[in-house]
Amino acid sequence: MPSSSGLVSAVSSDLEKIREEAPLVLSLTNSVVQPLTANLLLAAGAVPAMLNDAEETVEMLRGGTGALLVNLGTVTHEQGAVMQTAVQEANRLNIPWVPVSYTHLTL
């Protein structure tokens, strides 16, 4: 595991690269967190795109998307199908993707 100073250096380097490249990040998420997700991506220097349609998602991935963010919280069956299609296409195109999930359990 890297030291805390090494980790800070690595994160700083990654943020600088994001700001320089301004990658298009396709974000598949629920409507509740779309504005927050878009604003966080903008603040990091990326260009967010929020979609929920399978055909549009595949077209965007093939058109030069830099990364795919998949938020697995409160997903409908339709959204789940779009996410599966997007992840399969991202894998096929070697586009990095990040799953985001949060589960809160009360014991």
Side-chain angles (χ1 to χ4, degrees):
M1 181 161 185
S3 67
S4 59
S5 62
L7 185 58
V8 169
S9 177
V11 170
S12 294
S13 176
D14 287 345
L15 281 172
E16 185 175 318
K17 184 177 178 182
I18 290 169
R19 289 188 176 117
E20 288 173 3
E21 295 180 9
L24 176 63
V25 177
L26 175 55
S27 179
L28 304 177
T29 186
N30 62 59
S31 60
V32 174
V33 297
Q34 277 183 350
L36 176 62
T37 303
N39 287 332
L40 288 170
L41 289 168
L42 286 168
V47 178
M50 313 312 233
L51 293 177
N52 286 311
D53 179 79
E55 288 180 29
E56 286 181 315
T57 298
V58 168
E59 287 176 25
M60 184 164 282
L61 287 167
R62 291 178 182 166
T65 300
L68 171 66
L69 183 144
V70 181
N71 184 328
L72 301 169
T74 62
V75 175
T76 66
H77 290 290
E78 183 178 281
Q79 287 171 321
V82 170
M83 289 174 179
Q84 286 180 329
T85 299
V87 167
Q88 289 170 354
E89 189 67 12
N91 285 336
R92 191 182 74 74
L93 296 169
N94 292 320
I95 295 171
W97 65 277
V98 178
V100 177
S101 179
Y102 175 78
T103 303
H104 177 75
L105 298 176
T106 303
L107 301 176

